[in-house]
Amino acid sequence: MIYTITEMTEKHYYGKAYVQYAAWFETYRGLMPDEFLDNRKLESCYESTLKHPQDTYVALVDETVAGFIWYSPDAREYTRKTGMSEINALYVLKKYQGHGIGRALMEKSLSMMPHKAVLYVLRGNNPAIGFYEHMGFMLTGNTFTQDTGFGNIVELEMMRTGRLTGP
């Protein structure tokens, strides 16, 4: 599969929002309360894109947004270790997974970050945990619990301190 990784521009906003919206249903059904997922709206994902257009890269397949990564140069305050950058979101639509897009997006963002990286992954999302471990992240044992309004979800903190090695 041929794809390109590029910095998100305004022409990608709707595609990025769609990936965020659709990937949640593809990935989180059974891991989050159904009521929470069923109340998500594409418009909310678009509004989120408008609020945070910076530090976002998209993967394009035939000019269609197939995935994206959004990072922050400085991690949120509840991160266990200070002086970290954060991967806020990495989503690739299922039909585009397994072609190296997630890895390419991760490599691009890691190359842009000023600090070592941290991310949070939903407990039970074993495919994502495995992918992040393959990318050099390790579980720290730190968790973050959020109330969705329909029940709690738990995110696991993962940190990466080294450089990418291997294929």
Side-chain angles (χ1 to χ4, degrees):
M1 177 174 294
I2 298 172
Y3 60 86
T4 57
I5 306 297
T6 187
E7 190 168 3
M8 184 176 72
T9 64
E10 193 171 324
K11 71 180 180 181
H12 305 122
Y13 285 5
Y14 182 81
K16 182 265 185 191
Y18 177 77
V19 169
Q20 182 180 356
Y21 175 76
W24 273 57
F25 289 103
E26 292 178 345
T27 305
Y28 297 139
R29 188 67 69 188
L31 298 176
M32 289 185 168
D34 285 343
E35 298 86 357
F36 178 68
L37 286 173
D38 293 341
N39 280 293
R40 287 183 50 81
K41 304 282 186 246
L42 179 57
E43 295 78 19
S44 299
C45 295
Y46 187 78
E47 289 170 14
S48 174
T49 299
L50 294 177
K51 286 182 188 176
H52 305 286
Q54 69 285 351
D55 303 317
T56 302
Y57 289 87
V58 294
L60 301 174
V61 175
D62 298 326
E63 295 303 310
T64 298
V65 178
F68 75 91
I69 193 163
W70 167 46
Y71 73 91
S72 295
D74 298 302
R76 292 174 280 184
E77 68 280 351
Y78 54 77
T79 298
R80 188 167 113 184
K81 187 175 177 184
T82 59
M84 301 290 288
S85 295
E86 183 174 352
I87 301 291
N88 301 95
L90 170 59
Y91 294 106
V92 177
L93 293 173
K94 274 203 190 296
K95 72 180 188 176
Y96 298 110
Q97 292 177 7
H99 299 282
I101 292 173
R103 179 180 181 86
L105 286 165
M106 179 65 80
E107 288 172 343
K108 181 62 179 176
S109 68
L110 290 172
S111 75
M112 302 303 290
M113 293 176 150
H115 309 292
K116 294 176 182 176
V118 64
L119 59 80
Y120 292 86
V121 60
L122 193 61
R123 183 173 59 197
N125 189 353
N126 296 328
I129 293 168
F131 170 77
Y132 295 135
E133 287 174 338
H134 181 74
M135 295 300 297
F137 286 82
M138 295 178 7
L139 292 165
T140 67
N142 195 31
T143 62
F144 179 68
T145 302
Q146 295 182 56
D147 181 3
T148 66
F150 299 98
N152 289 341
I153 58 171
V154 178
E155 292 183 287
L156 310 175
E157 183 182 76
M158 298 184 80
M159 286 190 183
R160 186 175 181 283
T161 58
R163 293 308 241 174
L164 281 175
T165 58

